[in-house]
PDB file of all heavy atoms in Angstrom:
ATOM      1  N   ASP A  53      60.772 -49.208 -35.212  1.00 89.00           N
ATOM      2  CA  ASP A  53      60.021 -49.582 -34.014  1.00 89.00           C
ATOM      3  C   ASP A  53      60.938 -49.822 -32.817  1.00 89.00           C
ATOM      4  O   ASP A  53      60.580 -49.537 -31.672  1.00 89.00           O
ATOM      5  CB  ASP A  53      59.183 -50.837 -34.274  1.00 89.00           C
ATOM      6  CG  ASP A  53      57.893 -50.524 -35.012  1.00 89.00           C
ATOM      7  OD1 ASP A  53      57.486 -49.345 -35.026  1.00 89.00           O
ATOM      8  OD2 ASP A  53      57.294 -51.453 -35.602  1.00 89.00           O
ATOM      9  N   THR A  54      62.122 -50.355 -33.093  1.00 87.00           N
ATOM     10  CA  THR A  54      63.085 -50.641 -32.019  1.00 87.00           C
ATOM     11  C   THR A  54      63.513 -49.367 -31.295  1.00 87.00           C
ATOM     12  O   THR A  54      63.792 -49.382 -30.094  1.00 87.00           O
ATOM     13  CB  THR A  54      64.335 -51.338 -32.589  1.00 87.00           C
ATOM     14  OG1 THR A  54      63.934 -52.524 -33.271  1.00 87.00           O
ATOM     15  CG2 THR A  54      65.321 -51.693 -31.489  1.00 87.00           C
ATOM     16  N   PHE A  55      63.547 -48.260 -32.020  1.00 82.00           N
ATOM     17  CA  PHE A  55      64.077 -47.014 -31.476  1.00 82.00           C
ATOM     18  C   PHE A  55      63.005 -45.947 -31.253  1.00 82.00           C
ATOM     19  O   PHE A  55      63.308 -44.860 -30.751  1.00 82.00           O
ATOM     20  CB  PHE A  55      65.135 -46.440 -32.422  1.00 82.00           C
ATOM     21  CG  PHE A  55      66.162 -47.444 -32.870  1.00 82.00           C
ATOM     22  CD1 PHE A  55      66.080 -48.043 -34.128  1.00 82.00           C
ATOM     23  CD2 PHE A  55      67.193 -47.813 -32.034  1.00 82.00           C
ATOM     24  CE1 PHE A  55      67.011 -48.977 -34.542  1.00 82.00           C
ATOM     25  CE2 PHE A  55      68.138 -48.751 -32.433  1.00 82.00           C
ATOM     26  CZ  PHE A  55      68.049 -49.337 -33.691  1.00 82.00           C
ATOM     27  N   ARG A  56      61.766 -46.274 -31.620  1.00 80.00           N
ATOM     28  CA  ARG A  56      60.715 -45.247 -31.667  1.00 80.00           C
ATOM     29  C   ARG A  56      60.508 -44.528 -30.329  1.00 80.00           C
ATOM     30  O   ARG A  56      60.443 -43.305 -30.270  1.00 80.00           O
ATOM     31  CB  ARG A  56      59.402 -45.876 -32.129  1.00 80.00           C
ATOM     32  CG  ARG A  56      58.391 -44.855 -32.637  1.00 80.00           C
ATOM     33  CD  ARG A  56      57.143 -45.544 -33.160  1.00 80.00           C
ATOM     34  NE  ARG A  56      57.420 -46.480 -34.235  1.00 80.00           N
ATOM     35  CZ  ARG A  56      57.591 -46.134 -35.506  1.00 80.00           C
ATOM     36  NH1 ARG A  56      57.516 -44.868 -35.846  1.00 80.00           N
ATOM     37  NH2 ARG A  56      57.838 -47.060 -36.421  1.00 80.00           N
ATOM     38  N   ASP A  57      60.362 -45.290 -29.266  1.00 74.00           N
ATOM     39  CA  ASP A  57      60.103 -44.696 -27.950  1.00 74.00           C
ATOM     40  C   ASP A  57      61.294 -44.936 -27.033  1.00 74.00           C
ATOM     41  O   ASP A  57      61.536 -46.060 -26.603  1.00 74.00           O
ATOM     42  CB  ASP A  57      58.850 -45.309 -27.327  1.00 74.00           C
ATOM     43  CG  ASP A  57      57.605 -45.056 -28.162  1.00 74.00           C
ATOM     44  OD1 ASP A  57      57.407 -43.902 -28.584  1.00 74.00           O
ATOM     45  OD2 ASP A  57      56.851 -46.023 -28.402  1.00 74.00           O
ATOM     46  N   SER A  58      62.039 -43.873 -26.749  1.00 61.00           N
ATOM     47  CA  SER A  58      63.202 -44.001 -25.872  1.00 61.00           C
ATOM     48  C   SER A  58      63.430 -42.699 -25.127  1.00 61.00           C
ATOM     49  O   SER A  58      63.112 -41.613 -25.619  1.00 61.00           O
ATOM     50  CB  SER A  58      64.460 -44.360 -26.679  1.00 61.00           C
ATOM     51  OG  SER A  58      64.865 -43.269 -27.487  1.00 61.00           O
ATOM     52  N   VAL A  59      63.976 -42.813 -23.953  1.00 60.00           N
ATOM     53  CA  VAL A  59      64.289 -41.633 -23.146  1.00 60.00           C
ATOM     54  C   VAL A  59      65.349 -40.785 -23.854  1.00 60.00           C
ATOM     55  O   VAL A  59      65.289 -39.557 -23.854  1.00 60.00           O
ATOM     56  CB  VAL A  59      64.793 -42.053 -21.748  1.00 60.00           C
ATOM     57  CG1 VAL A  59      65.255 -40.829 -20.958  1.00 60.00           C
ATOM     58  CG2 VAL A  59      63.706 -42.791 -20.997  1.00 60.00           C
ATOM     59  N   ALA A  60      66.301 -41.466 -24.489  1.00 54.00           N
ATOM     60  CA  ALA A  60      67.380 -40.763 -25.188  1.00 54.00           C
ATOM     61  C   ALA A  60      66.823 -39.860 -26.283  1.00 54.00           C
ATOM     62  O   ALA A  60      67.309 -38.742 -26.485  1.00 54.00           O
ATOM     63  CB  ALA A  60      68.364 -41.768 -25.782  1.00 54.00           C
ATOM     64  N   SER A  61      65.804 -40.338 -27.011  1.00 50.00           N
ATOM     65  CA  SER A  61      65.221 -39.536 -28.085  1.00 50.00           C
ATOM     66  C   SER A  61      64.490 -38.321 -27.521  1.00 50.00           C
ATOM     67  O   SER A  61      64.527 -37.234 -28.103  1.00 50.00           O
ATOM     68  CB  SER A  61      64.268 -40.379 -28.928  1.00 50.00           C
ATOM     69  OG  SER A  61      63.123 -40.754 -28.190  1.00 50.00           O
ATOM     70  N   ASP A  62      63.821 -38.490 -26.378  1.00 52.00           N
ATOM     71  CA  ASP A  62      63.127 -37.361 -25.749  1.00 52.00           C
ATOM     72  C   ASP A  62      64.123 -36.282 -25.332  1.00 52.00           C
ATOM     73  O   ASP A  62      63.877 -35.083 -25.522  1.00 52.00           O
ATOM     74  CB  ASP A  62      62.344 -37.839 -24.519  1.00 52.00           C
ATOM     75  CG  ASP A  62      61.174 -38.743 -24.883  1.00 52.00           C
ATOM     76  OD1 ASP A  62      60.716 -38.676 -26.041  1.00 52.00           O
ATOM     77  OD2 ASP A  62      60.731 -39.522 -24.016  1.00 52.00           O
ATOM     78  N   ILE A  63      65.250 -36.716 -24.757  1.00 56.00           N
ATOM     79  CA  ILE A  63      66.267 -35.764 -24.310  1.00 56.00           C
ATOM     80  C   ILE A  63      66.906 -35.053 -25.500  1.00 56.00           C
ATOM     81  O   ILE A  63      67.034 -33.823 -25.517  1.00 56.00           O
ATOM     82  CB  ILE A  63      67.337 -36.477 -23.472  1.00 56.00           C
ATOM     83  CG1 ILE A  63      66.729 -37.008 -22.179  1.00 56.00           C
ATOM     84  CG2 ILE A  63      68.498 -35.521 -23.166  1.00 56.00           C
ATOM     85  CD1 ILE A  63      67.668 -37.875 -21.372  1.00 56.00           C
ATOM     86  N   SER A  64      67.309 -35.820 -26.512  1.00 51.00           N
ATOM     87  CA  SER A  64      67.977 -35.224 -27.675  1.00 51.00           C
ATOM     88  C   SER A  64      67.045 -34.282 -28.417  1.00 51.00           C
ATOM     89  O   SER A  64      67.463 -33.232 -28.911  1.00 51.00           O
ATOM     90  CB  SER A  64      68.485 -36.315 -28.616  1.00 51.00           C
ATOM     91  OG  SER A  64      67.415 -37.015 -29.220  1.00 51.00           O
ATOM     92  N   ASP A  65      65.743 -34.642 -28.487  1.00 52.00           N
ATOM     93  CA  ASP A  65      64.778 -33.783 -29.161  1.00 52.00           C
ATOM     94  C   ASP A  65      64.612 -32.471 -28.405  1.00 52.00           C
ATOM     95  O   ASP A  65      64.545 -31.397 -29.014  1.00 52.00           O
ATOM     96  CB  ASP A  65      63.428 -34.498 -29.279  1.00 52.00           C
ATOM     97  CG  ASP A  65      62.421 -33.688 -30.067  1.00 52.00           C
ATOM     98  OD1 ASP A  65      62.572 -33.594 -31.296  1.00 52.00           O
ATOM     99  OD2 ASP A  65      61.481 -33.122 -29.455  1.00 52.00           O
ATOM    100  N   ALA A  66      64.565 -32.553 -27.074  1.00 59.00           N
ATOM    101  CA  ALA A  66      64.419 -31.345 -26.260  1.00 59.00           C
ATOM    102  C   ALA A  66      65.634 -30.436 -26.410  1.00 59.00           C
ATOM    103  O   ALA A  66      65.498 -29.208 -26.545  1.00 59.00           O
ATOM    104  CB  ALA A  66      64.216 -31.725 -24.796  1.00 59.00           C
ATOM    105  N   VAL A  67      66.819 -31.035 -26.400  1.00 54.00           N
ATOM    106  CA  VAL A  67      68.052 -30.250 -26.552  1.00 54.00           C
ATOM    107  C   VAL A  67      68.118 -29.608 -27.924  1.00 54.00           C
ATOM    108  O   VAL A  67      68.414 -28.407 -28.057  1.00 54.00           O
ATOM    109  CB  VAL A  67      69.289 -31.143 -26.316  1.00 54.00           C
ATOM    110  CG1 VAL A  67      70.571 -30.392 -26.685  1.00 54.00           C
ATOM    111  CG2 VAL A  67      69.355 -31.602 -24.864  1.00 54.00           C
ATOM    112  N   ASN A  68      67.831 -30.380 -28.968  1.00 49.00           N
ATOM    113  CA  ASN A  68      67.884 -29.860 -30.330  1.00 49.00           C
ATOM    114  C   ASN A  68      66.824 -28.788 -30.547  1.00 49.00           C
ATOM    115  O   ASN A  68      67.063 -27.774 -31.218  1.00 49.00           O
ATOM    116  CB  ASN A  68      67.689 -31.003 -31.330  1.00 49.00           C
ATOM    117  CG  ASN A  68      68.088 -30.622 -32.741  1.00 49.00           C
ATOM    118  OD1 ASN A  68      68.891 -29.706 -32.943  1.00 49.00           O
ATOM    119  ND2 ASN A  68      67.534 -31.311 -33.716  1.00 49.00           N
ATOM    120  N   ASP A  69      65.638 -29.010 -29.991  1.00 51.00           N
ATOM    121  CA  ASP A  69      64.558 -28.040 -30.120  1.00 51.00           C
ATOM    122  C   ASP A  69      64.962 -26.710 -29.493  1.00 51.00           C
ATOM    123  O   ASP A  69      64.755 -25.631 -30.080  1.00 51.00           O
ATOM    124  CB  ASP A  69      63.301 -28.591 -29.442  1.00 51.00           C
ATOM    125  CG  ASP A  69      62.082 -27.715 -29.666  1.00 51.00           C
ATOM    126  OD1 ASP A  69      61.608 -27.649 -30.813  1.00 51.00           O
ATOM    127  OD2 ASP A  69      61.604 -27.088 -28.699  1.00 51.00           O
ATOM    128  N   THR A  70      65.570 -26.770 -28.310  1.00 54.00           N
ATOM    129  CA  THR A  70      66.023 -25.554 -27.624  1.00 54.00           C
ATOM    130  C   THR A  70      67.119 -24.860 -28.421  1.00 54.00           C
ATOM    131  O   THR A  70      67.108 -23.628 -28.587  1.00 54.00           O
ATOM    132  CB  THR A  70      66.545 -25.898 -26.214  1.00 54.00           C
ATOM    133  OG1 THR A  70      65.502 -26.530 -25.475  1.00 54.00           O
ATOM    134  CG2 THR A  70      67.009 -24.646 -25.489  1.00 54.00           C
ATOM    135  N   TYR A  71      68.064 -25.645 -28.927  1.00 48.00           N
ATOM    136  CA  TYR A  71      69.173 -25.084 -29.725  1.00 48.00           C
ATOM    137  C   TYR A  71      68.646 -24.338 -30.939  1.00 48.00           C
ATOM    138  O   TYR A  71      69.069 -23.208 -31.232  1.00 48.00           O
ATOM    139  CB  TYR A  71      70.107 -26.222 -30.145  1.00 48.00           C
ATOM    140  CG  TYR A  71      71.065 -25.866 -31.254  1.00 48.00           C
ATOM    141  CD1 TYR A  71      72.217 -25.126 -30.994  1.00 48.00           C
ATOM    142  CD2 TYR A  71      70.824 -26.265 -32.570  1.00 48.00           C
ATOM    143  CE1 TYR A  71      73.101 -24.791 -32.011  1.00 48.00           C
ATOM    144  CE2 TYR A  71      71.693 -25.946 -33.593  1.00 48.00           C
ATOM    145  CZ  TYR A  71      72.832 -25.201 -33.311  1.00 48.00           C
ATOM    146  OH  TYR A  71      73.689 -24.862 -34.322  1.00 48.00           O
ATOM    147  N   LEU A  72      67.705 -24.955 -31.664  1.00 50.00           N
ATOM    148  CA  LEU A  72      67.174 -24.333 -32.877  1.00 50.00           C
ATOM    149  C   LEU A  72      66.399 -23.056 -32.550  1.00 50.00           C
ATOM    150  O   LEU A  72      66.517 -22.053 -33.264  1.00 50.00           O
ATOM    151  CB  LEU A  72      66.276 -25.318 -33.623  1.00 50.00           C
ATOM    152  CG  LEU A  72      66.997 -26.533 -34.227  1.00 50.00           C
ATOM    153  CD1 LEU A  72      65.984 -27.527 -34.789  1.00 50.00           C
ATOM    154  CD2 LEU A  72      67.976 -26.107 -35.308  1.00 50.00           C
ATOM    155  N   LYS A  73      65.621 -23.089 -31.486  1.00 54.00           N
ATOM    156  CA  LYS A  73      64.844 -21.905 -31.111  1.00 54.00           C
ATOM    157  C   LYS A  73      65.744 -20.772 -30.651  1.00 54.00           C
ATOM    158  O   LYS A  73      65.465 -19.599 -30.924  1.00 54.00           O
ATOM    159  CB  LYS A  73      63.829 -22.273 -30.032  1.00 54.00           C
ATOM    160  CG  LYS A  73      62.665 -23.117 -30.574  1.00 54.00           C
ATOM    161  CD  LYS A  73      61.688 -23.525 -29.489  1.00 54.00           C
ATOM    162  CE  LYS A  73      60.532 -24.322 -30.079  1.00 54.00           C
ATOM    163  NZ  LYS A  73      59.585 -24.804 -29.038  1.00 54.00           N
ATOM    164  N   LEU A  74      66.837 -21.087 -29.965  1.00 55.00           N
ATOM    165  CA  LEU A  74      67.781 -20.059 -29.547  1.00 55.00           C
ATOM    166  C   LEU A  74      68.449 -19.389 -30.734  1.00 55.00           C
ATOM    167  O   LEU A  74      68.907 -18.248 -30.641  1.00 55.00           O
ATOM    168  CB  LEU A  74      68.855 -20.668 -28.631  1.00 55.00           C
ATOM    169  CG  LEU A  74      68.419 -20.999 -27.201  1.00 55.00           C
ATOM    170  CD1 LEU A  74      69.535 -21.716 -26.462  1.00 55.00           C
ATOM    171  CD2 LEU A  74      67.997 -19.736 -26.449  1.00 55.00           C
ATOM    172  N   ASN A  75      68.499 -20.097 -31.853  1.00 56.00           N
ATOM    173  CA  ASN A  75      69.108 -19.541 -33.059  1.00 56.00           C
ATOM    174  C   ASN A  75      68.077 -18.945 -34.019  1.00 56.00           C
ATOM    175  O   ASN A  75      68.319 -18.834 -35.220  1.00 56.00           O
ATOM    176  CB  ASN A  75      69.937 -20.610 -33.775  1.00 56.00           C
ATOM    177  CG  ASN A  75      71.268 -20.833 -33.106  1.00 56.00           C
ATOM    178  OD1 ASN A  75      72.166 -19.998 -33.202  1.00 56.00           O
ATOM    179  ND2 ASN A  75      71.404 -21.951 -32.400  1.00 56.00           N
ATOM    180  N   GLY A  76      66.917 -18.588 -33.459  1.00 54.00           N
ATOM    181  CA  GLY A  76      65.931 -17.853 -34.237  1.00 54.00           C
ATOM    182  C   GLY A  76      64.952 -18.690 -35.014  1.00 54.00           C
ATOM    183  O   GLY A  76      64.155 -18.153 -35.787  1.00 54.00           O
ATOM    184  N   ASN A  77      64.987 -20.018 -34.838  1.00 50.00           N
ATOM    185  CA  ASN A  77      64.066 -20.892 -35.557  1.00 50.00           C
ATOM    186  C   ASN A  77      62.905 -21.231 -34.623  1.00 50.00           C
ATOM    187  O   ASN A  77      62.995 -22.137 -33.803  1.00 50.00           O
ATOM    188  CB  ASN A  77      64.779 -22.165 -36.014  1.00 50.00           C
ATOM    189  CG  ASN A  77      63.984 -22.931 -37.038  1.00 50.00           C
ATOM    190  OD1 ASN A  77      62.749 -22.884 -37.050  1.00 50.00           O
ATOM    191  ND2 ASN A  77      64.677 -23.646 -37.913  1.00 50.00           N
ATOM    192  N   GLU A  78      61.814 -20.490 -34.757  1.00 55.00           N
ATOM    193  CA  GLU A  78      60.692 -20.641 -33.831  1.00 55.00           C
ATOM    194  C   GLU A  78      60.049 -22.021 -33.899  1.00 55.00           C
ATOM    195  O   GLU A  78      59.447 -22.489 -32.934  1.00 55.00           O
ATOM    196  CB  GLU A  78      59.642 -19.569 -34.106  1.00 55.00           C
ATOM    197  CG  GLU A  78      60.130 -18.149 -33.826  1.00 55.00           C
ATOM    198  CD  GLU A  78      59.066 -17.114 -34.086  1.00 55.00           C
ATOM    199  OE1 GLU A  78      57.941 -17.508 -34.464  1.00 55.00           O
ATOM    200  OE2 GLU A  78      59.353 -15.916 -33.919  1.00 55.00           O
ATOM    201  N   ALA A  79      60.175 -22.691 -35.040  1.00 45.00           N
ATOM    202  CA  ALA A  79      59.556 -24.012 -35.196  1.00 45.00           C
ATOM    203  C   ALA A  79      60.333 -25.100 -34.478  1.00 45.00           C
ATOM    204  O   ALA A  79      59.828 -26.204 -34.286  1.00 45.00           O
ATOM    205  CB  ALA A  79      59.425 -24.358 -36.679  1.00 45.00           C
ATOM    206  N   GLY A  80      61.561 -24.826 -34.091  1.00 41.00           N
ATOM    207  CA  GLY A  80      62.369 -25.830 -33.404  1.00 41.00           C
ATOM    208  C   GLY A  80      62.581 -27.062 -34.270  1.00 41.00           C
ATOM    209  O   GLY A  80      62.846 -26.958 -35.469  1.00 41.00           O
TER     210      GLY A  80
END
């Protein structure tokens, strides 16, 4: 709960999602 909602998590998720999709993983 302490970490559930944070700007840092939104940014890291967006970056990781983009990285995975660029490497052919459509599900991100």
Side-chain angles (χ1 to χ4, degrees):
D53 280 342
T54 303
F55 312 101
R56 199 177 302 279
D57 298 313
S58 69
V59 174
S61 67
D62 292 338
I63 295 173
S64 67
D65 184 73
V67 171
N68 195 23
D69 187 69
T70 302
Y71 164 79
L72 293 173
K73 288 178 178 177
L74 285 174
N75 282 287
N77 194 331
E78 295 181 1

